Amino acid sequence: FQAGNSLYTNITSFRCNPFGNFIQLCMQVLFKKNPVNFHFFSLLLHLVNSTVLFLIITKASRLFLDSSSLKKNKVWIATSLLTVFWALHPVNVESVLLLSNAITLFSYTFSFLTIFIFLSYYNSPSIFKSLLVFICYLCGLFIAEFHFFMPIILIFYCSILNLSSEKENKSFIQALKLATIQCIPLIAGMMVFILFFSLSKTGSNLSTQSDFKLIFERIFWLSPQIYF
């Protein structure tokens, strides 16, 4: 694949995805040059991601609605429609069609697992769940760096949930502080990635304004589209 040129040549890559490169190499060894295997594997990953997304939306809806409202409003129908919309959206289908984009699907898998575990961690925090959130997020980040802003986006959503909590009234600042504390495992993963990036070959190759523009474009442009 041309996407792997930076692994075998002197071509400079401004991507920082060591885990993604490793997965890509493993797939090339396992599937050889058989396109059927690549496409089947990508389709399988897409189905897994769609299933986890369905569980995420279902679990998240319970944070906003009580059990009676869930039955009355038939939220599961809306959840199914949203999942189907995501699964069939051209942007997501493109990742399934292109052989070299399987690592993008892998990054979705880890990121969706991160969000799913985080929803459970939000209700009942524990050290084990926080470690799972940290590990899954870091794996997803090392596959595709455009998941970088997940902690910021989840802090935003957690702040809204904390403000709407009926247990105690909170100001926006209090809700924001609590959300930041709740997202510490994700923030820690972000800090580890920044440290790795700054010490990596990718970080040392950044020299011009256009180089930084490419990096920031992937982070600032893609992250909101993916998570909002």
Side-chain angles (χ1 to χ4, degrees):
F1 296 115
Q2 287 185 339
N5 280 344
S6 60
L7 299 176
Y8 310 109
T9 68
N10 291 326
I11 295 175
T12 300
S13 173
F14 296 108
R15 300 287 306 278
C16 186
N17 54 343
F19 195 18
N21 290 334
F22 175 74
I23 292 175
Q24 190 178 62
L25 288 172
C26 289
M27 290 175 60
Q28 291 178 18
V29 171
L30 290 173
F31 300 151
K32 308 298 182 183
K33 294 183 179 181
N34 189 338
V36 175
N37 292 336
F38 280 97
H39 283 300
F40 179 77
F41 184 69
S42 294
L43 181 59
L44 181 63
L45 274 178
H46 190 56
L47 292 173
V48 170
N49 292 342
S50 300
T51 302
V52 178
L53 178 64
F54 176 83
L55 296 175
I56 288 173
I57 299 174
T58 302
K59 201 174 187 68
S61 64
R62 292 172 182 167
L63 296 176
F64 292 93
L65 301 171
D66 54 34
S67 57
S68 60
S69 298
L70 287 171
K71 294 178 181 179
K72 182 179 178 181
N73 296 328
K74 298 182 179 179
V75 176
W76 64 272
I77 297 179
T79 301
S80 301
L81 291 175
L82 286 171
T83 303
V84 170
F85 176 80
W86 181 88
L88 299 180
H89 194 283
V91 171
N92 300 316
V93 172
E94 181 188 35
S95 299
V96 182
L97 294 176
L98 298 178
L99 297 184
S100 60
N101 271 17
I103 57 173
T104 300
L105 296 173
F106 250 118
S107 75
Y108 288 164
T109 303
F110 280 104
S111 295
F112 285 172
L113 284 174
T114 300
I115 297 174
F116 181 76
I117 298 170
F118 179 81
L119 289 173
S120 177
Y121 169 79
Y122 177 86
N123 284 325
S124 54
S126 69
I127 296 177
F128 177 70
K129 290 178 183 177
S130 65
L131 284 175
L132 282 179
V133 169
F134 172 78
I135 292 171
C136 286
Y137 172 60
L138 203 56
C139 287
L141 200 54
F142 279 149
I143 295 175
E145 66 276 24
F146 51 68
H147 298 287
F148 181 80
F149 267 97
M150 184 194 289
I152 307 302
I153 294 169
L154 287 180
I155 286 175
F156 171 76
Y157 282 125
C158 287
S159 298
I160 295 175
L161 282 173
N162 294 335
L163 281 173
S164 61
S165 176
E166 297 179 354
K167 295 180 180 179
E168 54 180 306
N169 294 324
K170 297 184 180 70
S171 66
F172 174 76
I173 298 299
Q174 291 174 325
L176 183 60
K177 286 181 179 179
L178 179 58
T180 303
I181 294 173
Q182 291 165 332
C183 292
I184 283 178
L186 295 163
I187 297 172
M190 179 190 283
M191 294 298 105
V192 170
F193 178 80
I194 292 174
L195 179 62
F196 179 87
F197 177 83
S198 62
L199 298 176
S200 68
K201 184 179 179 181
T202 305
S204 61
N205 283 334
L206 295 176
S207 58
T208 66
Q209 184 177 354
S210 60
D211 296 342
F212 285 97
K213 182 181 178 180
L214 289 173
I215 296 294
F216 290 140
E217 185 179 68
R218 290 187 60 81
I219 294 175
F220 286 97
W221 180 66
L222 284 175
S223 293
Q225 292 191 62
I226 292 171
Y227 293 105
F228 276 107

